[in-house]
Amino acid sequence: MEGTQKAKRKRPAMKKRSATWNHFTLLEDNPNKCKCNYCGRQYQCHSRRDGITNMRNHILACLAYKTFWEQQEGSQQNLTTEGGKGNASNMVLAKGWSQDACRRAVTKMIIMGELPLSFVDNKGFRHFCSVVIPQFVMPSRRTIGRDVMDLFLEEKIMLKSLICNNKQRVSLTTNLWTSVQNMSYMVITAHFIDSDWCLTRRIISFSVIEDHRGKTIGKKIVACLQDWGIERLFAITIDNASTNDVAVNYVTMQLLAWRNDDAIVLAGQYMHVRCCAHILNLIVVLGLNELHASVTAIRNAMKYVRSSTMRLHAFKQCAQQVKCPNGTVVLDCPTRWNSTYLMLMTALKFQAAFDRMAEVDKPYEAYVLEKENNAKRVGPPGPKDWESAGRIVKFLKVFYDATLLFSASLSVTSNLCYDTIGLIESSLTALEASRDPWVVAMAYQMREKFDKYWESSRKINKMLIVASILDPRAKIDFAKHIFEIIFANDGWKVEEMTKVVKDLLNELYDAYCAMCSSSTPSMCSESVPSGSYGGTSYSPYFTTEVGLPEGPSGDGDDIFRVSRPFFGYAQKVFVQNEGKRVVSEVERYLSDPVEDPSNLKLNVLLWWKVNGSKYPILEKIARDVLAVPISTVASESAFSTGRHVIDEYQSSLTPCMVEALICTENWLQAKLFANLVYNLQEDIKEQIFHMELQEEFVRSQASTVETVSADMGVMDI
């Protein structure tokens, strides 16, 4: 019985584990043979005698399988949502699957996530992809590296065509950085306002530089312009190192040598724009060289609280007892004035907690009595210290807010720059009249550095004043108002500076008119009319064949060219008024009413988009002047990306790969989030809608008045 049962038992058939069997089927009449599901070719597949290598090789070369795969990529679709949070186009769509599209998405994920190329070899990521997209074949890190370079070149060609085809005049920012590889990198960022009046900034170079000499920096900038085909430059914003002066002078001389007459404006006199954020930092650091004793006392109190968990817990209990707001205290970095401002601002919120701690916490009292550098620690802070700290915070807030404004890179800042400089000027004047000797000494030190870079009559780049004039809320009256504040007791100086700035605007206008006249007719908006007269399209000239009698020499001219009288008259008037137009457009803009100055949300770019047709030449000037960045923060932000791309764990990337990763990330981020940052087209549609509503209201009011008048006429009769 037992032997019979053992004889009846059969070993269960093993399950096919290889993925190759997804493409083959066993024959019913012969289980040791199988056939391809696509072309029908048969293969031996005995479990002990034959392997599956021949079957796997067949799938890789099977034409029928490739055809089926291509059809599946185009036909197989899944339901998905298009758009995201806050996007009106968030709708369900059917999308097909593609190996190439998934591979491209992985490449973008590596770039935008600042991930190492070896991330595709991560076992967890591969497992995730095998669950989500089982049919996706994960590329290797070397393949991803090649895909990164291909995507970089593709995006570069698209951006280059945008700049070159529009003959865009750009402004540049640049800065230097040393990586963990001990290699110096130079970043160059291009800033311009595109045809849709959107402020655009793109990193166009992130390359290794041999040294920090001015001529080397200048050569890098010129080489970058030539590589991108940029033929028109307006300004270069750079920090205040002396080598940068040499670099800007070198670039100016090289561009003047180009055969392009409009390569730079006004021979590059105003091309060098010094980084306002850097200047502001120099001003404040010089003033805070010797900190007030009150700041030192508060810093020592902060050090005690942050020195251990137990002390921080005791401080929080004191804060709860005196009903202080929720939050925590921060300790500053002594070499960074903005962190000192944040420390004092948070400390003032917990003044009552510090006073309570001085009463009940005995270790705190002992900590203050200890010696530091052979001297008793300053502290604890008393009422006078807190009063002084409040004055210092109010003083530093002006510079802190100004730094935030100067550091903005996604919005226009050049039109607000001179207003902020005027605010700093007024703040220094108020500080100089203080009763506190320390504050007065600090103000005089800061005034010295302020006058070195921003003294209004000589040192400041007057293109920043022109930028404020091109703000429709300000114009020339605002610049004159600032001059009256600065030169309070000198009316002649006010008039002189007003005339200098207005002459500069007219000089800019003359230069842009000359550029328009020397370029194609489409570049100039005030060209002679060429197509419409009396509502009918005409050509300025027409050609007629007539039979003329031959002259004595036997020559005959049977074709002659006659111009229409109206267009001849238009040409004559255009020549006569050419000089008048140069002045009239500037005067017309300055004499037109200003926009409401209290409207702080007015979008200057949108205003020029809508009203630029009234001032065609000034529109071109505004497009270039308003695009000028007033700080190098846009370039310095690339170094934050560089620290993630090149760190101590991945420092073997070549300079070419580093540039590809950083530049492509900048370009992809700009394209992906363009609509989320600001949608200019929607604002234009909204403004046009409100204008139409207003016109409809005016028409309805007029029709109502006419109806009432007619009724009154009938009644009179």
Side-chain angles (χ1 to χ4, degrees):
M1 293 285 295
E2 293 179 359
T4 306
Q5 290 178 358
K6 290 182 180 180
K8 291 182 179 180
R9 290 176 183 173
K10 291 184 179 180
R11 184 179 180 180
M14 294 184 64
K15 186 179 180 180
K16 308 295 185 183
R17 290 176 295 179
S18 175
T20 306
W21 284 104
N22 295 332
H23 308 285
F24 289 88
T25 304
L26 292 175
L27 298 180
E28 295 181 359
D29 55 348
N30 187 358
N32 293 327
K33 295 185 71 175
C34 63
K35 68 176 181 178
C36 175
N37 294 338
Y38 311 103
C39 65
R41 187 169 180 176
Q42 299 182 2
Y43 286 92
Q44 295 288 340
C45 61
H46 193 276
S47 58
R48 296 184 178 179
R49 184 178 64 248
D50 306 310
I52 62 171
T53 303
N54 54 347
M55 299 160 57
R56 186 187 299 114
N57 293 338
H58 169 75
I59 284 297
L60 295 176
C62 181
L63 297 179
Y65 170 68
K66 291 182 178 180
T67 303
F68 171 79
W69 186 260
E70 292 174 356
Q71 293 175 352
Q72 285 295 108
E73 283 188 346
S75 60
Q76 184 66 35
Q77 294 183 335
N78 297 318
L79 293 178
T80 182
T81 55
E82 181 72 16
K85 185 178 180 180
N87 193 341
S89 61
N90 192 7
M91 59 181 65
V92 178
L93 298 175
K95 284 190 174 182
W97 183 86
S98 170
Q99 169 73 19
D100 294 337
C102 290
R103 181 169 151 182
R104 188 179 182 88
V106 170
T107 304
K108 291 183 177 181
M109 180 195 70
I110 294 292
I111 295 173
M112 299 175 68
E114 300 171 1
L115 301 171
L117 300 180
S118 59
F119 184 79
V120 293
D121 296 332
N122 184 279
K123 293 181 180 179
F125 178 64
R126 284 182 171 268
H127 172 69
F128 171 77
C129 291
S130 67
V131 174
V132 177
I133 317 174
Q135 64 269 40
F136 176 53
V137 180
M138 182 65 64
S140 66
R141 61 180 178 180
R142 295 185 181 276
T143 303
I144 286 294
R146 290 192 295 268
D147 291 347
V148 168
M149 293 302 301
D150 293 341
L151 183 60
F152 164 69
L153 295 175
E154 178 185 332
E155 293 290 333
K156 182 176 180 179
I157 291 173
M158 294 173 59
L159 180 58
K160 189 174 180 179
S161 64
L162 171 66
I163 296 175
C164 295
N165 293 343
N166 295 337
K167 295 184 178 181
Q168 198 76 51
R169 186 182 297 279
V170 303
S171 295
L172 302 178
T173 56
T174 182
N175 215 325
L176 303 177
W177 172 67
T178 302
S179 69
V180 295
Q181 303 166 311
N182 202 25
M183 298 174 63
S184 295
Y185 285 88
M186 176 176 173
V187 61
I188 302 176
T189 307
H191 304 253
F192 58 91
I193 296 174
D194 61 18
S195 57
D196 291 328
W197 281 90
C198 293
L199 183 63
T200 305
R201 64 179 182 96
R202 299 288 186 272
I203 298 175
I204 59 176
S205 177
F206 195 94
S207 56
V208 175
I209 187 170
E210 296 78 13
D211 54 67
H212 292 191
R213 292 185 300 177
K215 190 173 182 180
T216 306
I217 297 173
K219 287 182 178 179
K220 275 286 184 181
I221 295 176
V222 173
C224 179
L225 295 176
Q226 293 173 341
D227 177 42
W228 281 83
I230 297 175
E231 300 179 351
R232 307 169 74 206
L233 184 64
F234 189 82
I236 301 177
T237 303
I238 204 166
D239 62 28
N240 305 301
S242 57
T243 55
N244 292 330
D245 297 339
V246 178
V248 174
N249 291 334
Y250 178 86
V251 174
T252 303
M253 297 305 297
Q254 291 295 316
L255 294 183
L256 288 174
W258 288 5
R259 294 184 177 181
N260 186 9
D261 295 334
D262 61 344
I264 54 179
V265 179
L266 301 181
Q269 300 177 55
Y270 305 96
M271 191 167 69
H272 188 184
V273 179
R274 301 182 185 276
C275 176
C276 293
H278 188 255
I279 294 174
L280 192 61
N281 184 67
L282 294 176
I283 293 173
V284 180
V285 168
L286 183 63
L288 297 179
N289 273 339
E290 296 183 3
L291 280 177
H292 201 279
S294 302
V295 178
T296 307
I298 294 175
R299 179 181 292 148
N300 288 334
M302 290 288 190
K303 285 182 180 179
Y304 173 80
V305 171
R306 303 288 298 184
S307 60
S308 71
T309 306
M310 295 297 296
R311 292 175 177 179
L312 181 60
H313 180 69
F315 175 77
K316 288 183 177 180
Q317 287 183 337
C318 294
Q320 291 177 355
Q321 293 173 4
V322 295
K323 308 298 182 182
C324 284
N326 295 329
T328 185
V329 292
V330 295
L331 185 62
D332 71 329
C333 175
T335 58
R336 296 179 58 188
W337 68 267
N338 53 343
S339 67
T340 302
Y341 163 75
L342 295 175
M343 179 192 72
L344 295 176
M345 188 174 65
T346 56
L348 287 171
K349 297 178 181 179
F350 293 94
Q351 176 183 348
F354 280 106
D355 294 340
R356 176 65 176 171
M357 188 173 63
E359 295 175 359
V360 301
D361 195 344
K362 298 300 181 182
Y364 176 55
E365 183 179 355
Y367 174 82
V368 174
L369 295 176
E370 293 177 359
K371 289 188 177 182
E372 186 177 26
N373 297 328
N374 297 324
K376 177 184 173 296
R377 282 196 177 99
V378 180
K384 291 185 178 180
D385 294 324
W386 292 112
E387 184 180 352
S388 298
R391 291 198 302 268
I392 294 173
V393 164
K394 291 180 181 178
F395 154 70
L396 289 179
K397 188 178 187 304
V398 176
F399 296 91
Y400 184 79
D401 293 342
T403 301
L404 295 180
L405 186 143
F406 289 156
S407 302
S409 58
L410 296 178
S411 59
V412 176
T413 54
S414 56
N415 63 313
L416 304 175
C417 178
Y418 195 56
D419 177 38
T420 307
I421 293 175
L423 175 62
I424 296 171
E425 167 89 19
S426 302
S427 300
L428 291 178
T429 303
L431 288 174
E432 290 169 349
S434 174
R435 297 180 180 179
D436 191 335
W438 176 81
V439 173
V440 174
M442 179 182 62
Y444 277 115
Q445 289 181 339
M446 299 174 73
R447 169 70 69 177
E448 180 181 356
K449 186 65 70 172
F450 179 91
D451 290 342
K452 180 179 178 181
Y453 296 107
W454 285 337
E455 197 274 324
S456 294
S457 59
R458 294 185 302 273
K459 300 297 180 64
I460 192 172
N461 188 328
K462 294 181 178 57
M463 199 60 70
L464 299 177
I465 307 178
V466 172
S468 67
I469 295 176
L470 293 174
D471 189 327
R473 297 166 297 183
K475 300 189 178 181
I476 195 68
D477 292 336
F478 171 73
K480 189 174 182 180
H481 175 70
I482 296 291
F483 297 149
E484 290 173 350
I485 296 175
I486 298 174
F487 310 109
N489 300 322
D490 195 344
W492 178 83
K493 193 67 176 178
V494 172
E495 295 299 326
E496 180 191 16
M497 283 299 301
T498 305
K499 183 178 183 302
V500 167
V501 175
K502 189 174 180 180
D503 290 345
L504 175 57
L505 181 58
N506 283 318
E507 191 177 359
L508 269 175
Y509 187 87
D510 293 341
Y512 274 74
C513 282
M515 295 174 194
C516 286
S517 61
S518 63
S519 59
T520 58
S522 61
M523 295 291 293
C524 184
S525 301
E526 292 189 350
S527 57
V528 180
S530 59
S532 179
Y533 172 55
T536 307
S537 297
Y538 285 107
S539 173
Y541 301 97
F542 64 92
T543 303
T544 307
E545 295 184 2
V546 295
L548 293 179
E550 296 183 359
S553 60
D555 296 334
D557 186 7
D558 59 345
I559 299 178
F560 65 95
R561 189 175 177 86
V562 179
S563 66
R564 294 185 179 276
F566 178 80
F567 291 105
Y569 163 76
Q571 180 68 28
K572 181 179 178 181
V573 173
F574 176 77
V575 173
Q576 290 176 350
N577 295 340
E578 186 176 5
K580 297 179 181 179
R581 293 188 181 192
V582 173
V583 178
S584 63
E585 189 172 309
V586 175
E587 293 294 341
R588 182 156 39 89
Y589 169 75
L590 296 179
S591 60
D592 285 346
V594 298
E595 297 292 333
D596 183 9
S598 62
N599 184 10
L600 301 180
K601 295 184 179 181
L602 176 70
N603 189 297
V604 178
L605 297 185
L606 178 59
W607 190 91
W608 279 103
K609 171 75 174 180
V610 175
N611 299 279
S613 57
K614 301 177 184 177
Y615 323 101
I617 303 298
L618 278 178
E619 179 190 27
K620 301 179 187 302
I621 297 173
R623 187 189 298 273
D624 295 338
V625 172
L626 295 177
V628 174
I630 59 176
S631 73
T632 60
V633 172
S635 291
E636 292 174 1
S637 62
F639 301 149
S640 299
T641 304
R643 292 186 182 94
H644 298 157
V645 174
I646 312 172
D647 57 18
E648 57 183 355
Y649 299 106
Q650 45 179 352
S651 58
S652 60
L653 295 175
T654 63
C656 292
M657 180 59 70
V658 171
E659 181 178 31
L661 289 169
I662 292 178
C663 291
T664 310
E665 180 188 354
N666 175 259
W667 303 339
L668 293 178
Q669 294 279 7
K671 291 172 63 176
L672 185 63
F673 300 110
N675 293 331
L676 298 181
V677 175
Y678 181 69
N679 193 336
L680 183 61
Q681 298 297 333
E682 293 298 325
D683 278 1
I684 293 174
K685 291 179 181 179
E686 183 178 357
Q687 182 162 342
I688 293 175
F689 172 74
H690 287 295
M691 292 172 61
E692 291 176 350
L693 283 180
Q694 186 175 3
E695 292 176 357
E696 183 66 27
F697 175 76
V698 172
R699 285 196 297 268
S700 63
Q701 290 291 103
S703 61
T704 303
V705 171
E706 292 177 357
T707 304
V708 172
S709 300
D711 293 342
M712 291 180 66
V714 171
M715 292 175 63
D716 292 340
I717 292 174

